[in-house]
Structure formats: structure tokens, C-alpha cells
Amino acid sequence: SADAQAGTLAPLSPLELKELCRIAARGGVLGCVVLNACHTRETGEGLVEAGVESVVCWEAEVQGAAARVFAKAFYQRLAVLAARQHQRQQQEDNGPHRQPQHGHAASSARSLYVEAFKYGRLHVEAWAANNPGDESACRAYKGSEHVKPPKPRNK
């Protein structure tokens, strides 16, 4: 695009984002996308169709404060879980006569995303309980979704 050639920022259309994620997911470098904005479920479903294994999105309105609470809790929990997983893997790989196993890495990563997502939701729920007059926070919590990959179809 002209913006890219000029070196300026330009928003991606949902179709451009889907194509970018399709390329990254095919290369095995993209396991989770977080769309921390209002009404992103449709885009999230498109990203799952493009091959992204885990997408976190919002089905409804989300207040900025609730989105920040979710993001902070999600990424903090993800960092803690990833560090624990890395430490366990190092211990297993360094054990006597042990061959490193990498086959379950993708399912293990998905479980980290799901647990971090649940942790983030709990924090938004607690935040909403402390802001009872804020209906948008409650709707945002109830509307948050973790879009799971579609089940493989039998051909």
C-alpha cells in the first residue's frame, strides 16, 4: 500500500489481518492472537479459519478499563505458566537417558492460553464486581470468548 511505502502506519482490514495470520500460522510461528477490542468475535473466527489455533476476542462492547484488566492478568499468567513449563521441560531434558520430546508442544501451548484466558476472565469478573454501576464491564465479561479451533472434518 502507499502507506507502507511511505513508512507510515495504516490499519489492516480484517481480510488483510486474516491473510497475514494465515501465512504466520502455516509457518508454525503463531499459536495465539489476542483481539482485545469491542466486537472482535467475527474477526477471531476468521483467524481460526485461517489456521490460528487459539484466539481470544470479545463478542460485545468492552470498556477500556476492563480490557486493560484482562490483558494484564492474561499476560502475567501466561508468563508465569510459560516459565514453569520451560523449567519442567529443562528438568525432563536433562534427566538420565532422557530424549527430548517435542511432539506435545502445540497442545501444551494451547493449554497455557486457555488457563491464562480463564485467569484473565476471573480478574475482569472481580473488577466488574467492584464497579457494579458499570454495565459495559459486565457485558464485556459475559461476552469474552475463547474461540477454539474447529474440529477436523471427516472427508
Side-chain angles (χ1 to χ4, degrees):
S1 76
D3 289 327
Q5 291 174 351
T8 59
L9 295 176
L12 292 174
S13 71
L15 187 59
E16 290 170 319
L17 179 61
K18 183 178 177 180
E19 179 62 15
L20 181 64
C21 289
R22 183 186 64 75
I23 292 166
R26 183 178 45 189
V29 296
L30 185 62
C32 182
V33 172
V34 177
L35 303 170
N36 203 13
C38 301
H39 304 287
T40 51
R41 182 182 179 118
E42 185 176 333
T43 301
E45 289 171 346
L47 296 181
V48 168
E49 289 172 16
V52 178
E53 292 193 17
S54 297
V55 177
V56 177
C57 56
W58 295 88
E59 186 172 37
E61 294 285 323
V62 58
Q63 187 183 47
R68 285 188 297 277
V69 165
F70 175 82
K72 181 179 179 182
F74 177 85
Y75 289 113
Q76 283 178 340
R77 186 68 178 161
L78 190 58
V80 167
L81 293 171
R84 286 180 189 161
Q85 182 184 41
H86 179 73
Q87 185 178 26
R88 276 193 306 270
Q89 187 63 46
Q90 280 187 322
Q91 289 171 347
E92 288 176 12
D93 289 349
N94 293 330
H97 311 291
R98 183 82 176 156
Q99 293 292 325
Q101 294 181 350
H102 302 289
H104 68 285
S107 63
S108 182
R110 277 192 299 277
S111 68
L112 295 183
Y113 303 138
V114 170
E115 188 172 336
F117 168 75
K118 290 175 182 176
Y119 189 76
R121 271 187 86 148
L122 288 174
H123 278 72
V124 172
E125 182 179 44
W127 180 84
N130 290 323
N131 295 280
D134 190 343
E135 289 299 313
S136 67
C138 295
R139 282 198 311 273
Y141 165 69
K142 291 176 184 171
S144 64
E145 293 283 334
H146 179 261
V147 179
K148 296 180 181 173
K151 293 181 180 176
R153 296 184 184 126
N154 295 331
K155 293 183 180 182

